[in-house]
Amino acid sequence: MRSSPVFLAALVAQSVCGCYQGSSPNDQLAIGSETWICVTVGATTSPISKSFKYTRFSFKATVDEFAVLELENSFSDEYYPDDALMQKLWAPETPPSTSELWVHVESEGQFSYQKVFRKEAATWPTAVAVISVLEGKVTGISWDFGCFSCSSETCAPNTYRYSGEAVSGAGDECFVEDVDCKPGASHAPKDCDLKVYATWSGTDSKGSYLLSQQKRLSNFKQSVA
């Protein structure tokens, strides 16, 4: 079995305008074509002005290949002021107890809803993006849901509009308490790094069906009842 590509990004943002190649989005994507997937992480830097600071990580991806986009060292410390990514997006006037990091995915000019990556001493380290394509044009990006590796105590909704309003009907996802991400705890810090799984759904420019969405995590849900 061929392994899925894993793309690793250090905490240095790359710039790809609009998260597409060339001067405009590509509406002729075919299976095997190269394109960009961008993971944007940001934080509200002032509770008064609601200003937002962000950094974007760009990954070159292949259409219809299931991939893992991993941000190395995106969780480096449970204590927010000592965390590398928190420091990168830090605002001195924001108390650590209210600091939070948000994440969304972009590709070919389309955006997903956003999710919390870290908030209130909890971390959502895993997200699954489904990139929808119609006849070679990316038409949207949605999120897969499901708590398949955690108990109900660490399972909660985590999909939001850009206004901060929760998306109605969105499913639950696993989170990890930050105290469990420190060295010697049940998870190592690297286990709490942000990982975005990317899959593809729809049809390419030749009318061929994209099949990598069959690997999204919700398709492997099992019941022990």
Side-chain angles (χ1 to χ4, degrees):
M1 177 181 294
R2 185 164 56 92
S3 62
S4 302
V6 177
F7 301 89
L8 302 179
L11 294 182
V12 178
Q14 304 174 40
S15 177
V16 178
C17 181
C19 202
Y20 49 77
Q21 300 184 91
S23 59
S24 62
N26 185 355
D27 61 0
Q28 294 296 314
L29 293 173
I31 294 173
S33 297
E34 286 191 338
T35 186
W36 290 96
I37 300 175
C38 299
V39 178
T40 298
V41 182
T44 302
T45 60
S46 171
I48 298 175
S49 66
K50 299 297 182 182
S51 58
F52 196 75
K53 185 177 180 181
Y54 68 91
T55 185
R56 175 188 285 167
F57 304 90
S58 305
F59 302 84
K60 184 167 284 188
T62 301
V63 174
D64 208 29
E65 280 195 4
F66 178 80
V68 185
L69 316 178
E70 181 174 354
L71 303 187
E72 285 188 314
N73 301 317
S74 48
F75 186 109
S76 60
D77 202 291
E78 63 170 316
Y79 183 53
Y80 287 5
D82 292 339
D83 182 81
L85 185 55
M86 282 284 190
Q87 288 179 355
K88 189 177 182 69
L89 300 170
W90 194 254
E93 69 271 20
T94 306
S97 62
T98 60
S99 294
E100 54 196 31
L101 294 180
W102 298 79
V103 61
H104 74 265
V105 171
E106 309 168 33
S107 184
E108 296 292 343
Q110 296 295 316
F111 298 75
S112 69
Y113 283 129
Q114 60 179 349
K115 292 182 174 294
V116 171
F117 171 41
R118 298 190 65 181
K119 180 180 181 180
E120 298 175 352
T123 295
W124 279 260
T126 303
V128 182
V130 181
I131 303 173
S132 297
V133 182
L134 179 62
E135 298 179 353
K137 180 179 180 179
V138 175
T139 57
I141 304 175
S142 58
W143 295 108
D144 196 24
F145 308 110
C147 290
F148 313 117
S149 60
C150 63
S151 67
S152 59
E153 287 76 17
T154 54
C155 178
N158 186 32
T159 306
Y160 299 87
R161 303 182 187 279
Y162 288 90
S163 64
E165 176 188 5
V167 174
S168 177
D172 295 344
E173 296 170 66
C174 295
F175 65 88
V176 181
E177 300 287 353
D178 285 0
V179 68
D180 292 328
C181 294
K182 62 184 181 181
S186 57
H187 295 76
K190 65 180 181 62
D191 296 330
C192 296
D193 282 345
L194 179 61
K195 302 173 188 67
V196 177
Y197 295 82
T199 70
W200 302 79
S201 177
T203 55
D204 74 354
S205 59
K206 300 176 183 179
S208 299
Y209 286 97
L210 307 181
L211 303 178
S212 64
Q213 56 85 24
Q214 296 176 355
K215 297 181 180 179
R216 65 187 191 272
L217 300 185
S218 62
N219 280 345
F220 298 94
K221 181 178 180 179
Q222 297 184 9
S223 173
V224 296

